[in-house]
């Protein structure tokens, strides 16, 4: 019986048995993948570029149509609607520029069905009573804010973060 103790010959035989290590398969695989990539690039890149150009053209067309529609709508807008929108904006700006005490006073007078002119015509005692009610509500509001901050600091931190966003 013949026994080959040459480990180098054994490893060569084992390498040839593996198809991924066969030099002929490796060369064929390289040629095939290179040819496949060349074919894919020559076919898909121009097609993809054409599709991209078409999509870009459609987007530009949609923006142009929207722009024209907005311009025609803006030129045909009735002035009462514009005045109403600017009036609402000015009311909001006026409200936001008021102090919390002024807001509370306005709310209190609205609840009681009073106007500033009516309050001015009241006696000094009645005006002081309204001022005390405003002060009490302002104090309650401040206490609620302090209580909310001290009872749950994590929830307050989350609220402040969300408000900042």
């Amino acid at each position: 019986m013949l026994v080959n103790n040459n480990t180098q010959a054994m490893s060569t035989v084992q390498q040839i048995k593996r198809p991924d290590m066969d030099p002929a398969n490796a060369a064929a695989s390289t040629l095939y993948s290179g040819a496949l990539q060349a074919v894919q690039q020559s076919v898909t890149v121009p097609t993809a570029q054409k599709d991209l150009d078409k999509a870009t053209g459609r987007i530009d067309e949609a923006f142009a149509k929207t722009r024209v529609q907005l311009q025609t709508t803006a030129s045909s807008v009735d002035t009462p609607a514009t005045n109403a929108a600017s009036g609402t904006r000015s009311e909001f700006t006026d409200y936001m520029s008021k102090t919390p005490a002024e807001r509370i006073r306005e709310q209190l007078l609205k609840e009681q069905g009073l106007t500033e002119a009516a309050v001015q015509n009241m006696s000094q005692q009645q005006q002081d009573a309204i001022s005390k009610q405003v002060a009490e509500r302002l104090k309650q509001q401040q206490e609620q804010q302090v209580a909310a901050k001290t009872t749950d600091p994590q929830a307050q931190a989350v609220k402040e973060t969300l408000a900042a966003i």
Side-chain angles (χ1 to χ4, degrees):
M1 173 188 277
L2 290 170
V3 176
N4 188 355
N5 288 334
N6 187 353
T7 57
Q8 194 174 27
M10 292 296 285
S11 65
T12 304
V13 171
Q14 287 177 353
Q15 286 179 356
I16 292 175
K17 288 182 181 179
R18 290 182 54 194
D20 62 334
M21 297 301 285
D22 184 22
N25 283 343
S29 175
T30 303
L31 288 174
Y32 177 75
S33 66
L36 182 62
Q37 287 177 355
V39 169
Q40 285 177 342
Q41 288 177 351
S42 67
V43 172
T44 59
V45 171
T47 306
Q49 187 64 38
K50 288 178 185 176
D51 291 341
L52 183 61
D53 291 341
K54 287 180 184 178
T56 304
R58 289 187 197 126
I59 291 170
D60 290 342
E61 182 180 349
F63 276 122
K65 286 180 181 178
T66 304
R67 186 175 179 185
V68 168
Q69 288 174 348
L70 288 173
Q71 287 174 347
T72 57
T73 305
S75 63
S76 65
V77 171
D78 296 332
T79 55
T82 306
N83 290 340
S86 65
T88 305
R89 179 176 289 167
S90 65
E91 287 177 22
F92 176 74
T93 306
D94 291 342
Y95 179 78
M96 292 307 291
S97 65
K98 293 180 181 177
T99 64
E102 290 173 336
R103 292 179 193 164
I104 290 173
R105 180 179 173 90
E106 184 178 304
Q107 182 182 8
L108 182 67
L109 293 178
K110 191 180 287 186
E111 288 173 1
Q112 295 179 357
L114 298 172
T115 63
E116 284 293 331
V119 172
Q120 295 298 324
N121 293 332
M122 291 180 174
S123 68
Q124 186 63 36
Q125 292 175 346
Q126 291 173 328
Q127 290 179 6
D128 290 342
I130 291 175
S131 297
K132 284 182 183 179
Q133 288 178 342
V134 170
E136 288 174 9
R137 284 195 184 182
L138 185 61
K139 185 177 177 182
Q140 288 174 354
Q141 186 181 28
Q142 289 173 346
E143 288 174 354
Q144 288 173 351
Q145 290 174 351
V146 169
K149 285 184 180 180
T150 57
T151 56
D152 195 3
Q154 286 182 336
Q156 185 62 27
V158 169
K159 288 179 184 177
E160 288 174 0
T161 304
L162 291 174
I165 294 173

